[in-house]
């Protein structure tokens, strides 16, 4: 059956890019295969950026080819510019994810372009997609939508104006990212409701960080505001090198458990998801992993209750 909520796993990109060590390509493939076997149907497997900037993701093209061989998996990759988009299209991804910051300071630090320049970059990426791969989805993640460690406050009006510009540039969906971990549930609810009013069904995923312990609460607030796609990172890996102090993403294991415990279908098998966590741990033995569910385990009778 179609899931009630979609969990998009971003660990192989967002998680690994935050680490000082690189995971071997063979281990990445094993991890992604384990994630897909657990029922995750959308995985952001890497990023097409210069090798000298993110050597951890230099093998993304090879990883994409492998991920495309897995059945029923939508393979996404982050592309910060037109050059990256061309490489991703050539590799055969299903979805291009473009980061556009609502904070001017973060945009200049992260991609060396202003917000206005990034809107034009999205327009160029969409034109390239139309020419080379018209069925490929172009998704924008509006980063620092709830605040920025470099700029401070980011007004909701700025975020909504940017989202409207990106939709006019051709983005098929615009999600909101709490890059710095500044968001609170009321803010998340209000901004996602406003986003849906501004751009309608093109309002996209919630990408929440757990920097201050509000990741799951913010996802619940987004759910109540109508969001049905949520980014998560296995073991809570992640962060942003251009947002000082930002720490890991919402833990996929905890996110899936929360929704399943509420009676919402995710399509993810939690036992197999925990097996994928073991693959990750074995591949990065010195990297700390996070999450409450892996420590506590499933409550007695959970399986029966979650499928009522």
């Amino acid at each position: 059956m179609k899931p009630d909520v979609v969990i998009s796993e971003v660990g192989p990109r967002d998680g690994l890019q935050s680490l000082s060590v690189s995971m071997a390509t063979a281990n990445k493939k094993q991890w992604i295969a384990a994630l897909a076997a657990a029922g995750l149907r959308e995985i952001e497997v890497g990023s097409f950026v210069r090798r000298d900037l993110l050597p951890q993701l230099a093998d993304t093209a090879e990883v994409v080819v492998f991920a495309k061989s897995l059945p029923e998996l939508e393979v996404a990759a982050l592309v910060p510019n037109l050059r990256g988009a061309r490489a991703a299209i050539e590799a055969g991804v299903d979805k291009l994810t473009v980061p556009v910051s609502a904070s001017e300071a973060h945009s200049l630090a992260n991609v060396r372009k202003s917000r206005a320049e990034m809107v034009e970059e999205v327009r160029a990426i969409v034109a390239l997609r139309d020419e080379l791969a018209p069925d490929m989805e172009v998704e924008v993640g509006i980063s620092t939508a709830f605040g920025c460690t470099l700029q401070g406050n980011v007004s909701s009006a700025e975020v909504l104006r940017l989202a409207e510009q990106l939709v006019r540039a051709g983005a098929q969906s615009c999600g909101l990212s709490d890059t710095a971990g500044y968001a609170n549930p009321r803010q998340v609810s209000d901004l996602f409701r406003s986003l849906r009013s501004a751009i309608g069904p093109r309002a996209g995923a919630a990408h929440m960080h757990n920097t201050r312990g509000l990741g799951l609460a913010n996802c619940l607030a987004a759910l109540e505001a109508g969001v049905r796609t949520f980014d998560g990172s296995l073991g809570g890996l992640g962060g942003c090198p251009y947002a000082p102090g930002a720490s890991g993403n919402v833990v996929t294991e905890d996110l899936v458990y929360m929704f399943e415990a509420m009676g919402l279908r995710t399509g993810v098998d939690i036992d197999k998801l925990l097996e994928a966590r073991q693959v990750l741990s074995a591949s990065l033995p010195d990297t700390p992993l996070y999450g409450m569910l892996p420590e506590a385990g499933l409550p007695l009778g959970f399986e029966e209750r979650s499928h009522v």
Side-chain angles (χ1 to χ4, degrees):
M1 292 186 293
K2 183 178 179 181
D4 298 311
V5 293
V6 174
I7 308 298
S8 179
E9 173 62 42
V10 300
R13 193 278 302 176
D14 198 352
L16 296 185
Q17 77 170 20
S18 68
L19 303 179
S20 59
V21 297
S22 295
M23 182 187 287
T25 303
N27 290 346
K28 287 184 185 181
K29 294 176 181 179
Q30 184 184 13
W31 180 27
I32 290 168
L35 290 167
L40 288 156
R41 289 293 168 259
E42 180 177 315
I43 303 176
E44 192 175 60
V45 301
S47 178
F48 286 88
V49 299
R50 283 169 35 196
R51 290 171 177 259
D52 60 315
L53 294 177
L54 282 178
Q56 305 95 315
L57 303 180
D59 57 357
T60 294
E62 181 180 345
V63 173
V64 166
V65 172
F66 169 78
K68 287 286 291 180
S69 72
L70 301 173
E72 300 180 5
L73 178 64
E74 184 171 43
V75 179
L78 183 137
V79 295
N81 50 41
L82 186 63
R83 178 181 177 182
R86 184 178 294 277
I89 291 171
E90 291 173 353
V93 303
D94 299 306
K95 178 189 286 188
L96 303 173
T97 301
V98 188
V100 179
S101 182
S103 158
E104 189 78 359
H106 183 264
S107 185
L108 293 171
N110 192 37
V111 294
R112 309 295 191 269
K113 289 184 174 67
S114 68
R115 289 176 302 184
E117 288 173 323
M118 281 304 298
V119 171
E120 293 309 308
E121 197 78 8
V122 169
R123 195 183 310 278
I125 289 170
V126 170
L128 182 69
R129 184 281 312 270
D130 291 344
E131 175 188 351
L132 300 179
D135 294 330
M136 189 175 292
E137 183 178 350
V138 176
E139 170 189 76
V140 171
I142 300 181
S143 54
T144 63
F146 301 93
C148 173
T149 51
L150 301 175
Q151 176 179 307
N153 292 333
V154 176
S155 76
S156 297
E158 287 183 86
V159 175
L160 298 175
R161 183 163 53 249
L162 180 60
E164 290 170 341
Q165 292 170 346
L166 291 165
V167 165
R168 289 196 294 270
Q172 290 161 283
S173 66
C174 286
L176 301 179
S177 300
D178 182 25
T179 312
Y182 279 13
N184 64 71
R186 177 173 292 178
Q187 183 186 19
V188 169
S189 177
D190 289 348
L191 190 53
F192 267 109
R193 291 180 193 279
S194 297
L195 183 69
R196 290 176 67 84
S197 296
I199 63 174
R202 296 200 183 195
H207 178 102
M208 298 295 157
H209 283 228
N210 201 42
T211 309
R212 292 168 178 82
L214 293 179
L216 286 181
N218 287 333
C219 287
L220 182 58
L223 176 77
E224 293 172 345
V227 177
R228 291 298 178 268
T229 301
F230 299 83
D231 291 353
S233 179
L234 202 75
L237 295 181
C240 177
Y242 301 105
S247 56
N249 294 279
V250 170
V251 177
T252 301
E253 303 93 308
D254 292 346
L255 185 64
V256 169
Y257 169 70
M258 180 180 76
F259 287 139
E260 290 284 343
M262 293 170 63
L264 297 173
R265 294 186 302 273
T266 65
V268 179
D269 183 310
I270 293 179
D271 289 330
K272 291 184 178 179
L273 189 64
L274 295 176
E275 291 176 8
R277 180 186 173 100
Q278 293 175 0
V279 173
L280 173 60
S281 179
S283 300
L284 297 172
D286 297 323
T287 299
L289 302 181
Y290 305 96
M292 303 302 290
L293 177 70
E295 294 295 326
L298 292 170
L300 185 65
F302 169 77
E303 290 184 353
E304 292 79 3
R305 192 168 62 247
S306 68
H307 293 96
V308 170

